[in-house]
Amino acid sequence: MSPLKSILVIGATGAQGMAVVRSLSRSRRYAVRAMTRSDSSADAKLISSWPNVSLFIGDCFNEADLRKAFSGVHGAFVNTNGYVTGEKGEIYWGIRMYEIAVRAGVKHWVWGSLDYSTKLGGWHERFKCGHYDGKGKVADWVLAQPRSPMASSVLTSGPYMELLFEFMLPRPPKAPGEPYVFVAPLGSGAVPLIHLEDLGEYGLYLFDNPSTNGLDLKVATQHVHWAELASTFTKVTGKPAEYLDVSLEEYMDKYYPAGKKAVTRKIGTDRKDPTLLTWGQNFSGFWNLFKESGGNKGLVRRDYEMLDRIHPGRVKSVGEWMKKVGYEGQPRPVLKDWVDGGIAKGERVEARL
Ligand SMILES: NC(=O)c1ccc[n+]([C@@H]2O[C@H](COP(=O)([O-])OP(=O)(O)OC[C@H]3O[C@@H](n4cnc5c(N)ncnc54)[C@H](OP(=O)(O)O)[C@@H]3O)[C@@H](O)[C@H]2O)c1
């Protein structure tokens, strides 16, 4: 029998899951069971080439597949895809997966989460963001099960720093000498971006430390203000850049990265479900949350001193990240299911590794 503890990763071929799989694999302390619907995608092939990683073919929104997937593993890292389910589906499946994992005898469950936006915003509707609220509600529920036989930790992250290659890509110069333009409806707020490789290391930390049972580890690389993002970009690349602060209406009308048509499309597969938000509604809540998170003093906060203690080698700033990854404002695919106009574009490989 292998001396390695086995960990099921749900969402293993995604930007986030892949980072966690890689950290677990590199540690040589874990055998990873990576759940995916297809072993023929480039991402599945890549992760299965890493040491101690095997694929488990199944659909994470199918109970029979889940029972098999959880069977015999020590731990589970669960990042459901809220863009597939919508908020209601994510709450149902997050809790249902937990129940199935307990019955399967899983010892340590780690829920890949996001900040509960509506709650942080004092329950005001303008902060409603389905893919944040769904995960945040499941996190609250998970942490409210102290008598569970299964240890549970939450890993609350935020927008990936790598989204600067995709969703948060600056607009290129209109003519030589003109600036790159970082557009956001952010005012003087800040986005707590997280470098994916470090996110993977925090996942590893949680499995290495079962005493994190009951902990909600909230991670980020830095609260990034967009004016500072533009000036850092210039400092690192030598290219001129500016921040264009726009209203939410302007952003959705002129600058929404997946195109104007996507703004009114619903997030989730069952388009008739009346609880589903449109991409425009969802990302209005998202930007409103971060608009009020400037200086690490607003709605979304992180304890960076604690993160330094847990992971002293972490990337500490967006400038450091730009140098590390050779960032020049160039596009690169990041999300496996990046949605352009409501249609998944397809897969990307290694872009955020
Ligand atoms: N974008 C961000 O900055 C960010 C930050 C933090 C959290 N999140 C959250 O992360 C989630 C998305 O994960 P990601 O960022 O890693 O996206 P991604 O790169 O687009 O990956 C999507 C993942 O979902 C899996 N998946 C989709 N439908 C599935 C199904 N029916 N059964 C099994 N697996 C399924 C895909 O697996 P296969 O295709 O291989 O089956 C793939 O691993 C969302 O809930 C989002 O809210 C996103």
Side-chain angles (χ1 to χ4, degrees):
M1 211 173 105
S2 166
L4 303 177
K5 286 180 177 167
S6 56
I7 307 288
L8 171 71
V9 176
I10 290 181
T13 58
Q16 178 168 157
M18 231 164 154
V20 173
V21 171
R22 193 164 74 138
S23 289
L24 292 170
S25 167
R26 281 199 303 206
S27 77
R28 309 286 169 137
R29 295 191 286 281
Y30 299 95
V32 178
R33 185 182 289 177
M35 192 171 193
T36 175
R37 288 163 297 169
S38 163
D39 59 4
S40 61
S41 74
D43 299 301
K45 284 184 186 153
L46 176 67
I47 61 175
S48 64
S49 72
W50 295 342
N52 305 312
V53 177
S54 59
L55 299 179
F56 180 95
I57 308 302
D59 187 324
C60 71
F61 306 125
N62 173 303
E63 293 207 6
D65 288 356
L66 285 170
R67 284 199 185 85
K68 282 189 219 145
F70 281 118
S71 171
V73 293
H74 167 84
F77 180 87
V78 181
N79 183 33
T80 46
N81 193 337
Y83 297 130
V84 173
T85 56
E87 180 185 346
K88 186 172 75 178
E90 186 149 40
I91 296 166
Y92 173 80
W93 282 110
I95 294 175
R96 188 71 192 118
M97 285 176 192
Y98 179 100
E99 292 167 348
I100 293 170
V102 173
R103 290 309 321 153
V106 173
K107 303 280 180 296
H108 193 172
W109 158 282
V110 177
W111 173 246
S113 196
L114 287 165
D115 293 275
Y116 185 170
S117 180
T118 299
K119 181 166 143 181
L120 287 176
W123 316 103
H124 289 291
E125 290 294 321
R126 70 178 184 281
F127 298 107
K128 179 146 191 57
C129 174
H131 76 286
Y132 271 58
D133 284 358
K135 288 194 192 300
K137 286 171 189 177
V138 174
D140 278 5
W141 183 88
V142 164
L143 296 174
Q145 312 308 325
R147 294 200 191 155
S148 166
M150 180 170 74
S152 302
S153 319
V154 171
L155 180 58
T156 298
S157 64
Y160 312 139
M161 203 157 258
E162 284 69 11
L163 291 188
L164 291 168
F165 286 121
E166 198 173 62
F167 183 69
M168 293 169 172
L169 187 72
R171 297 169 86 79
K174 285 191 184 135
E178 295 269 304
Y180 282 76
V181 184
F182 290 88
V183 185
L186 190 58
S188 56
V191 186
L193 297 173
I194 175 75
H195 174 31
L196 277 165
E197 184 170 350
D198 290 338
L199 194 163
E201 290 298 294
Y202 293 120
L204 172 64
Y205 166 82
L206 292 172
F207 287 114
D208 277 348
N209 293 278
S211 60
T212 58
N213 180 23
L215 177 72
D216 182 356
L217 180 62
K218 295 171 189 273
V219 302
T221 299
Q222 184 193 7
H223 274 61
V224 180
H225 295 80
W226 252 228
E228 188 191 345
L229 174 63
S231 63
T232 302
F233 178 78
T234 301
K235 219 181 280 170
V236 173
T237 66
K239 299 176 180 183
E242 64 185 30
Y243 165 36
L244 180 64
D245 178 26
V246 293
S247 68
L248 265 176
E249 292 70 28
E250 264 182 293
Y251 177 78
M252 297 299 171
D253 193 43
K254 287 212 256 176
Y255 300 108
Y256 188 68
K260 197 174 167 181
K261 275 191 190 159
V263 170
T264 52
R265 290 229 169 88
K266 289 196 167 180
I267 295 182
T269 39
D270 177 8
R271 302 274 159 100
K272 288 191 187 136
D273 179 346
T275 71
L276 295 182
L277 300 183
T278 64
W279 289 90
Q281 289 168 329
N282 185 75
F283 279 94
S284 295
F286 172 95
W287 286 112
N288 282 336
L289 179 69
F290 296 125
K291 198 168 188 168
E292 300 204 21
S293 298
N296 198 17
K297 291 184 181 139
L299 298 180
V300 177
R301 298 185 195 190
R302 296 292 183 257
D303 181 344
Y304 290 107
E305 284 179 11
M306 179 187 71
L307 296 176
D308 286 341
R309 285 196 299 277
I310 290 176
H311 182 16
R314 74 181 186 89
V315 168
K316 295 189 174 62
S317 69
V318 71
E320 189 183 336
W321 174 83
M322 285 177 181
K323 288 181 202 151
K324 179 179 173 187
V325 303
Y327 185 71
E328 299 212 3
Q330 72 280 36
R332 267 204 218 165
V334 176
L335 299 175
K336 184 166 197 282
D337 295 340
W338 165 240
V339 174
D340 184 358
I343 301 154
K345 243 191 204 165
E347 59 199 31
R348 50 81 199 94
V349 190
E350 294 188 65
R352 64 267 177 267
L353 293 178

